[in-house]
Amino acid sequence: MLKTFALTVAYDGTRYAGWQIQPNGLAIQQVLSEAIGRVVGHEVQVRGSGRTDAGVHAIGQVCAFSSSVWQPPASRLVRAINTHLPRDISVVDSRAVVEGFDPIRRATRKRYRYRFRTSRVPDPLNNAFHWWIPRRLDHEAMRLGAARLVGTHDFKAFESLGSRRITSVRTVYTSEVCVHEVMAGREITLEIEANGFLYNMVRNIAGALVAIGRGRFAPEWLDGVLGSRARNIESQTAPARGLCLMNVDYPQELFVTDQTEG
Amino acid sequence: MLKTFALTVAYDGTRYAGWQIQPNGLAIQQVLSEAIGRVVGHEVQVRGSGRTDAGVHAIGQVCAFSSSVWQPPASRLVRAINTHLPRDISVVDSRAVVEGFDPIRRATRKRYRYRFRTSRVPDPLNNAFHWWIPRRLDHEAMRLGAARLVGTHDFKAFESLGSRRITSVRTVYTSEVCVHEVMAGREITLEIEANGFLYNMVRNIAGALVAIGRGRFAPEWLDGVLGSRARNIESQTAPARGLCLMNVDYPQELFVTDQTEG
């Protein structure tokens, strides 16, 4: 019997060429496929909820594969696959899902976090996980800017070239900026949840918020950027290292009760 | 005029062969010496407050060097040296100190943190910074064990071979275990402060606390281990990756007012 499994996966993206298998560089999808293949005893095709770029991290990426050979409970896959993974990738959870489960199209919500560090000196212990900006940012202005993105908008202004989506309209449910004190400065985080994201959308939004934090633009500037429906070139794309895919949601009915589960 | 400077340095030790310059592998001391040399315009000898082993991290390592060429304020060294450092090492602070300042002998207190992670699954985003133990530990027993180390004791039982110290008596001021919830488990930290540490002392203590957390020994077992004054071989040396040098204290009178400082 063919069974389909959804895995929740965490990774430090630093040394990978991104999620998707490609000719140059090692992809997370490839490392996972090989580890799963060893566990189930045959080649598998692993489909992710979306690509993450080189250097982008994940705590809650979701991917799926099918097997007619693996019969033990889905939950047993976690430890079994982790045995074959390097220490910068790990399977956090495994659940049985309906046949034909499509992790891209069936995703209802995704949540990302972008971390900025504003401090006099760089913090080498978190270097791979944030964008270091050696000056003060007006985080209140950033917070006001982020809040303006909530709702249903055409986000074309924040889409990088190289993607082909039918529509660039997305609904942002949460877009919040938080601040806390750290060694010699502050960590500022953007937490953003939407029904989907365009290519580089979070990194382009993060770059726009930094332009606001630097005082180059007022928070209201974002309204015009959104309204323009043209790629915003007045601020930069934030570096990959600060981005982390936190969570992907699916409708509850796609998860099936694994009959073999104790 | 010969001036001596004390730098506070932070580093991710993952890709280094430790603090001390050695024939095999890149040492943090070497990378720092070269960066400082470029800034002051001549070769410098950089002395650290103590060696950290390969894979051990620091937030507050202290090292010193002298120059008769560098005349700007000490504080200017921070940004200047960081320009020449890789992103996993950074200078956090710089102060002028008395001539002949000896960062090893004049240290009055050092503080280390050791991080354990007990969770079903490994956490790849913190993998380089903790010891992952995939089972529950009795952190209350660990806390009681850690507390028994406070005071002046002969810590020979927790000294690894390869060091030559005149005395193995040290005074531990703080030895505390803290716990907080993290993804799919708990992070347990040991915070330990003493007037000095023997070779591998914190890692050997961390290993002993894990043996207690696993229920192999009661907290009182540590009294016998300490009393034996013989190398404890009933528990392991904890891996380097979990260890971080947090802080080194010096008497206030060793810091001099830099006349050139604004």
Side-chain angles (χ1 to χ4, degrees), chain A residues 10-12 57-59 78-79 82 87-93 120-127 129-132 134 183-184 241 244, chain B residues 10-12 57-59 78-79 82 87-93 120-127 129-132 134 183-184 241 244:
Chain A
Y11 46 84
D12 172 349
H57 315 289
I59 285 180
V78 177
R79 190 164 298 206
N82 283 338
R87 295 187 67 164
D88 52 7
I89 304 179
S90 76
V91 177
V92 173
D93 195 26
R120 280 186 301 107
V121 293
D123 173 359
L125 280 80
N126 284 289
N127 172 48
F129 303 102
H130 62 223
W131 180 13
W132 176 52
M183 184 186 83
R241 58 180 57 225
C244 186
Chain B
Y11 46 84
D12 172 349
H57 316 289
I59 285 181
V78 176
R79 189 165 296 207
N82 283 338
R87 294 187 67 164
D88 52 7
I89 304 179
S90 76
V91 177
V92 174
D93 195 26
R120 280 185 303 108
V121 293
D123 172 359
L125 279 81
N126 284 288
N127 171 49
F129 303 103
H130 63 223
W131 180 12
W132 176 52
M183 184 186 82
R241 58 179 57 224
C244 187

Side-chain angles (χ1 to χ4, degrees), chain B residues 69 79 104 115 135 158 214 228:
Chain B
V69 175
R79 189 165 296 207
I104 297 181
R115 292 167 68 185
R135 49 173 294 178
F158 296 108
R214 283 180 165 151
S228 75

Side-chain angles (χ1 to χ4, degrees), chain B residues 14-189:
Chain B
T14 308
R15 69 180 188 101
Y16 296 98
W19 169 264
Q20 176 138 324
I21 292 176
Q22 47 140 297
N24 306 310
L26 188 62
I28 293 150
Q29 189 183 27
Q30 183 182 341
V31 176
L32 261 172
S33 297
E34 288 170 8
I36 297 168
R38 280 195 204 136
V39 170
V40 301
H42 59 87
E43 272 197 24
V44 292
Q45 212 199 337
V46 178
R47 294 153 291 145
S49 76
R51 310 174 190 184
T52 53
D53 279 334
V56 173
H57 316 289
I59 285 181
Q61 169 70 291
V62 173
C63 64
F65 73 95
S66 297
S67 175
S68 51
V69 175
W70 176 267
Q71 292 307 321
S75 61
R76 292 252 188 98
L77 285 165
V78 176
R79 189 165 296 207
I81 299 170
N82 283 338
T83 307
H84 297 283
L85 286 173
R87 294 187 67 164
D88 52 7
I89 304 179
S90 76
V91 177
V92 174
D93 195 26
S94 167
R95 296 176 70 180
V97 288
V98 295
E99 213 192 300
F101 173 85
D102 183 330
I104 297 181
R105 300 208 178 157
R106 299 309 300 272
T108 51
R109 283 176 186 233
K110 281 188 180 180
R111 190 157 54 87
Y112 279 96
R113 180 176 294 163
Y114 196 94
R115 292 167 68 185
F116 312 90
R117 177 70 61 102
T118 61
S119 52
R120 280 185 303 108
V121 293
D123 172 359
L125 279 81
N126 284 288
N127 171 49
F129 303 103
H130 63 223
W131 180 12
W132 176 52
I133 299 165
R135 49 173 294 178
R136 259 178 191 277
L137 295 178
D138 180 347
H139 56 82
E140 270 309 322
M142 292 170 75
R143 194 196 306 267
L144 293 171
R148 301 186 90 83
L149 301 174
V150 174
T152 303
H153 306 284
D154 187 335
F155 283 94
K156 193 155 193 63
F158 296 108
E159 181 178 36
S160 288
L161 295 175
S163 57
R164 290 187 189 188
R165 305 276 186 166
I166 296 158
T167 170
S168 47
V169 173
R170 294 290 182 277
T171 300
V172 170
Y173 303 110
T174 308
S175 178
E176 288 176 347
V177 167
C178 293
V179 185
H180 64 268
E181 305 293 318
V182 292
M183 184 186 82
R186 284 183 175 143
E187 176 160 298
I188 301 178
T189 56

Side-chain angles (χ1 to χ4, degrees), chain A residues 169-246:
Chain A
V169 173
R170 295 291 183 277
T171 301
V172 169
Y173 304 110
T174 308
S175 177
E176 288 176 348
V177 167
C178 294
V179 185
H180 65 269
E181 306 292 319
V182 293
M183 184 186 83
R186 285 183 174 143
E187 176 161 297
I188 302 178
T189 56
L190 166 68
E191 197 90 19
I192 186 161
E193 190 173 43
N195 63 352
F197 290 91
L198 306 171
Y199 182 53
N200 269 356
M201 178 169 149
V202 183
R203 290 168 58 190
N204 286 328
I205 288 172
L209 291 178
V210 166
I212 292 171
R214 283 180 164 151
R216 284 181 51 215
F217 302 108
E220 298 74 24
W221 163 73
L222 284 175
D223 301 349
V225 171
L226 273 178
S228 76
R229 298 184 190 185
R231 177 156 162 57
N232 166 42
I233 50 165
E234 294 189 283
S235 57
Q236 69 181 106
T237 303
R241 58 180 57 225
L243 187 61
C244 186
L245 173 56
M246 301 300 285

